[in-house]
Amino acid sequence: MSPSNHLIEVVQELSLARSLPQVMAIVRTAARQLTGADGATFVLRDGDSCYYADEDAISPLWKGRRFPLQVCISGWAMLNRQHVNIEDIYQDSRIPHDAYRPTFVKSLVMVPIRRANPIGAIGTYWARNRTMPPEQLQLLQALADSTSIALENVELVADLERRVRERTAQLEAVNRELEKFSYSVSHDLRAPLRAITGFSQQVLEDDGDKVSTDSKKALGRVVAAAGRMGELIEALLGLARLSQAPLRLQRVDLSAMAHEVAADLGASASVQEAMICEGDPALLRVALTNLIGNAWKFSRKAAAPHIEVGSRPAGDTVEYFVRDNGAGFDMKYADKLFGAFQRLHTQEEFEGTGIGLATVARVIARHGGTIRAESAPGQGATFAFTIGGAVVPKGLA
């Protein structure tokens, strides 16, 4: 392979490097191969010092050591922003001879990394006296220029990863605080609710004959409202627990689970067989219970209620769905579906807490999946979701 083609391959490798050690490993090897050198060093500028971060040589050089910029030849190359091509190091006053005597080095070439504002240097060394030809010097400088771009990319990637980690940590902290808040509020609300319900019922039982019909109706509404608030609190507690519970991943037969959920709900459902995935069975059962329960609730007023649970290929994964032929909804409100306490129907039309789909969305998100809805008023609804570790059922692949 010609040196120029070799350099092209090296540049391609550098473009894929995502860490400083990867860049150094590529460069130290390439520098020797492109120039036929007996050794190569990767030097980084560290304040007022030259840090010999890595090397590839026939015998040890200075890996891991630091030298002042002013007394080091790599420092000279960086400070003067130009290469150095020395045939005999012991005839050049810029070389600290005592540092080189324990080594094999007789001649060297040093090129700066990023000539405008050098951040390091690449050194190549020989155990004999020689002068590097101009064409090799150009290759080595081209390697240094490519290294500069690679190091900038590494810095950008590291900064992006740092920001992602910080943002993730902030979001996790916020979520923890929200979960603690909802759990605390839910617990604190239970006691007064029990008091409201208890005292209202006591008045109805003990003094019902003394209370007017309108007052009885009012107290009945108080008890009913307190009961509904209790259901909302329980739903909120369930959502908080769902966020805190650790995932226990294992093989899950979604088909068998859907059959069981439908039977428990007393719903009639058509379920596709052999739907297998990897997930937390307890959490996935919660999701299916809410989805199938919703499908049954919103389709039970249909002339011939029908619920279908199935799957279909979706790119490299599988999309599962629960479909009904019920009331449906206008898709312009779809963005509200998966928020807590968001409802598209009144309590009088269809009972519920407004937590079910938020719970489903949380379960799917914790499995690394996504969920979406398809619907139209009076034409039923389809809720489709993905799960990490899904397996395409036989016959669908």
Side-chain angles (χ1 to χ4, degrees):
M1 182 186 298
S2 68
S4 57
N5 287 338
H6 187 190
L7 179 61
I8 291 173
E9 285 194 356
V10 172
V11 170
Q12 290 173 339
E13 288 184 55
L14 285 173
S15 69
L16 299 175
R18 290 295 177 265
S19 68
L20 177 59
Q22 285 181 319
V23 172
M24 293 192 300
I26 294 169
V27 172
R28 75 189 182 206
T29 302
R32 284 195 65 181
Q33 293 175 342
L34 288 169
T35 62
D38 297 316
T41 59
F42 192 104
V43 188
L44 290 172
R45 181 167 182 171
D46 183 13
D48 294 329
S49 299
C50 298
Y51 173 51
Y52 282 72
D54 207 354
E55 66 185 33
D56 180 2
I58 58 176
S59 63
L61 292 169
W62 307 280
K63 183 176 179 179
R65 297 181 64 183
R66 286 175 170 80
F67 301 95
L69 278 171
Q70 302 294 339
V71 300
C72 184
I73 194 62
S74 59
W76 191 96
M78 285 186 267
L79 291 172
N80 289 274
R81 304 176 184 178
Q82 65 184 59
H83 69 265
V84 181
N85 189 356
I86 301 176
E87 181 179 3
D88 184 349
I89 63 170
Y90 294 105
Q91 299 302 316
D92 195 303
S93 60
R94 295 170 296 181
I95 299 293
H97 299 148
D98 289 341
Y100 278 76
R101 285 194 177 91
T103 73
F104 65 85
V105 180
K106 296 293 188 294
S107 60
L108 65 81
V109 170
M110 190 72 65
V111 295
I113 297 173
R114 198 168 71 187
R115 281 173 284 187
N117 184 20
I119 56 175
I122 300 172
T124 50
Y125 310 88
W126 286 265
R128 65 189 186 284
N129 296 108
R130 73 181 299 273
T131 299
M132 180 179 285
E135 58 272 15
Q136 281 191 349
L137 190 55
Q138 289 177 354
L139 287 174
L140 191 59
Q141 187 61 66
L143 174 63
D145 294 340
S146 299
T147 301
S148 172
I149 297 172
L151 289 175
E152 289 175 1
N153 289 340
V154 165
E155 186 176 352
L156 287 173
V157 170
D159 183 58
L160 179 61
E161 290 177 344
R162 176 186 58 78
R163 292 186 182 187
V164 169
R165 286 195 299 271
E166 290 177 353
R167 181 61 175 162
T168 300
Q170 290 172 358
L171 288 174
E172 288 176 347
V174 169
N175 283 335
R176 284 194 298 270
E177 289 304 314
L178 285 174
E179 288 162 7
K180 289 178 182 177
F181 175 76
S182 64
Y183 199 78
S184 175
V185 168
S186 298
H187 273 80
D188 291 344
L189 286 176
R190 279 175 157 178
L193 268 180
R194 283 194 296 267
I196 291 171
T197 302
F199 286 125
S200 297
Q201 289 175 335
Q202 184 176 343
V203 170
L204 287 173
E205 291 172 3
D206 296 347
D207 300 303
D209 56 341
K210 302 175 185 177
V211 177
S212 68
T213 302
D214 288 342
S215 296
K216 286 182 181 179
K217 289 180 180 179
L219 286 171
R221 286 195 291 270
V222 169
V223 172
R228 175 156 172 73
M229 179 61 78
E231 292 176 0
L232 292 174
I233 289 173
E234 286 301 322
L236 191 58
L237 278 172
L239 191 59
R241 284 192 292 265
L242 193 69
S243 303
Q244 297 167 350
L247 281 179
R248 303 183 186 280
L249 299 178
Q250 62 187 68
R251 185 180 183 275
V252 177
D253 185 339
L254 283 180
S255 298
M257 185 178 287
H259 279 299
E260 294 170 2
V261 169
D264 291 342
L265 293 170
S268 176
S270 171
V271 179
Q272 179 183 311
E273 300 303 328
M275 293 188 295
I276 306 297
C277 73
E278 183 181 71
D280 185 304
L283 295 184
L284 290 178
R285 182 176 289 274
V286 169
L288 278 182
T289 298
N290 279 285
L291 289 174
I292 296 175
N294 267 8
W296 180 238
K297 176 171 63 178
F298 289 108
S299 64
R300 68 188 179 202
K301 295 180 182 180
H306 178 71
I307 300 171
E308 181 184 359
V309 183
S311 66
R312 55 201 175 198
D316 296 331
T317 186
V318 172
E319 188 175 63
Y320 301 97
F321 62 85
V322 177
R323 179 182 296 134
D324 66 69
N325 64 341
F329 55 86
D330 192 326
M331 283 296 289
K332 70 181 180 181
Y333 302 115
D335 59 330
K336 296 182 178 181
L337 285 173
F338 302 106
F341 306 118
Q342 297 292 329
R343 290 174 53 82
L344 302 185
H345 300 277
T346 66
Q347 185 71 14
E348 290 71 25
E349 290 177 303
F350 298 98
E351 73 283 356
T353 61
I355 290 291
L357 289 178
T359 298
V360 174
R362 188 70 60 88
V363 169
I364 299 306
R366 293 202 61 193
H367 282 79
T370 59
I371 184 167
R372 62 187 182 86
E374 303 168 1
S375 186
Q379 298 182 32
T382 299
F383 288 88
F385 59 93
T386 60
I387 301 173
V391 177
V392 180
K394 294 179 180 179
L396 286 184

